[in-house]
Amino acid sequence: MNGRMRKEEEAMMGHDDSSVASTSIGIFGYILFGISWVMVGITLPFSLCVILKVVQEYERAVIFRLGRLLPGGAKGPGIFFVLPCIESYQKVDLRTITLGVPPQEVLTKDSVTVSVDAVVYYRVSNATVSVANVENAHHSTRLLAQTSLRNILGTKNLHEILSDRESISLAMQTILDEATAAWGIKVERVEIKDARLPEQLQRAMAAEAEAAREARAKVIAAEGEKKASGALRDASEIISESSSALQLRYLQTLNSISAEKNSTIIFPLPMDLVKNMVE
């Protein structure tokens, strides 16, 4: 892992490291360099507490000597030396960082105001570049993520934001990864957390959805009545063909009514009498 990280750093910082290595620090720099070693030798073993530094497995140390980057890229993990007075170093954490993008008020393509927030997962892929090429890589990535989110959402319609979050996340990841490559940052993942609509728009959409549901319910009820009327028509045609079938249906209706505990009084009449009265 260390070898691979070193190769990435050397590949991205090849020109800068070679220029540093080939540029002399000057006579005055060599004098200070020698004095620093003399002071370390005189104050041994106490000077070891000052010059010995340790970085963790997930950290790297970028060392500057008289304001110039040391060749060879970042140091670590483990123990390294820092000469007093002429060298300084800066630790860089290589672990994945979770960046919460605060809610952004965006005007969509169809002129709807929506508030969207996101989460960006990124890590430092090149410690030397992240220190030498940008003042604050993490703060710059945060601001760029906010701007990129607003720019992407401004080109989308509301229904695309609500239903197609995956493509928006991938587009945002691509833009951020390309822009932050020069800062030694690798964007691993982008996720859209939530899209909040104004209350008035939420009420309007709820009313529209309720009206659509009621319309579908009426259509379903009408279709059911149509099918029921067709079935009743078929049943009436079958019953009309036989008088005994009508009598049996009449008796079945009486049986179902009597099975219920009610005070309904029924006066049965002969079907022939009813038929004569109708005629």
Side-chain angles (χ1 to χ4, degrees):
M1 179 178 178
N2 295 342
R4 182 171 60 85
M5 294 295 297
R6 289 290 179 81
K7 290 180 180 179
E8 291 180 358
E9 293 179 358
E10 291 175 0
M12 297 184 66
M13 286 293 294
H15 177 71
D16 294 340
D17 288 346
S18 60
S19 62
V20 171
S22 60
T23 303
S24 175
I25 60 176
I27 298 176
F28 185 70
Y30 284 115
I31 293 174
L32 292 178
F33 183 75
I35 293 174
S36 297
W37 276 114
V38 171
M39 293 294 297
V40 169
I42 293 174
T43 57
L44 279 175
F46 303 103
S47 60
L48 295 178
C49 299
V50 178
I51 65 173
L52 288 181
K53 305 295 181 181
V54 179
V55 291
Q56 304 296 329
E57 180 68 30
Y58 53 84
E59 293 177 331
R60 296 296 181 271
V62 180
I63 303 176
F64 295 88
R65 178 178 296 167
L66 297 175
R68 298 178 181 273
L69 280 171
L70 288 183
K75 308 297 181 183
I79 300 176
F80 62 96
F81 294 93
V82 175
L83 294 177
C85 301
I86 66 171
E87 289 184 352
S88 61
Y89 74 100
Q90 183 174 342
K91 286 185 180 181
V92 179
D93 197 328
L94 302 183
R95 292 176 293 183
T96 299
I97 298 175
T98 303
L99 172 62
V101 181
Q104 303 295 311
E105 294 286 344
V106 182
L107 184 65
T108 62
K109 189 177 181 180
D110 50 355
S111 301
V112 177
T113 302
V114 60
S115 178
V116 181
D117 54 355
V119 181
V120 179
Y121 300 92
Y122 71 95
R123 61 179 175 85
V124 177
S125 60
N126 191 312
T128 305
V129 173
S130 66
V131 173
N133 288 8
V134 62
E135 180 181 2
N136 190 328
H138 301 292
H139 182 65
S140 300
T141 303
R142 178 187 298 272
L143 295 180
L144 182 61
Q146 297 177 12
T147 305
S148 300
L149 180 61
R150 289 194 298 266
N151 292 339
I152 293 176
L153 295 179
T155 62
K156 303 292 183 180
N157 294 322
L158 178 61
H159 72 276
E160 293 177 344
I161 296 176
L162 298 178
S163 61
D164 198 10
R165 298 187 181 184
E166 184 176 355
S167 64
I168 296 176
S169 300
L170 292 176
M172 185 175 175
Q173 179 182 351
T174 302
I175 293 175
L176 287 176
D177 199 20
E178 292 177 355
T180 57
W183 302 341
I185 299 295
K186 173 63 178 177
V187 179
E188 298 178 341
R189 189 179 182 87
V190 177
E191 291 291 341
I192 302 297
K193 289 178 59 179
D194 190 19
R196 289 182 290 274
L197 303 177
E199 294 183 1
Q200 295 180 353
L201 182 59
Q202 292 181 12
R203 289 194 294 267
M205 294 178 65
E208 181 181 0
E210 184 177 359
R213 288 193 297 269
E214 290 180 356
R216 288 195 298 269
K218 291 180 180 179
V219 171
I220 294 173
E223 292 178 352
E225 291 179 358
K226 180 180 179 181
K227 293 180 180 179
S229 62
L232 290 175
R233 182 191 62 186
D234 297 339
S236 64
E237 292 177 354
I238 296 173
I239 292 176
S240 63
E241 295 177 355
S242 175
S243 59
S244 59
L246 182 60
Q247 184 68 22
L248 290 174
R249 180 59 181 163
Y250 175 70
L251 294 175
Q252 185 180 4
T253 303
L254 293 179
N255 185 33
S256 61
I257 294 175
S258 63
E260 300 178 359
K261 295 180 180 180
N262 51 37
S263 58
T264 304
I265 299 175
I266 299 175
F267 295 95
L269 294 175
M271 298 302 300
D272 296 338
L273 179 61
V274 174
K275 184 177 181 180
N276 295 328
M277 292 177 61
V278 172
E279 292 179 353

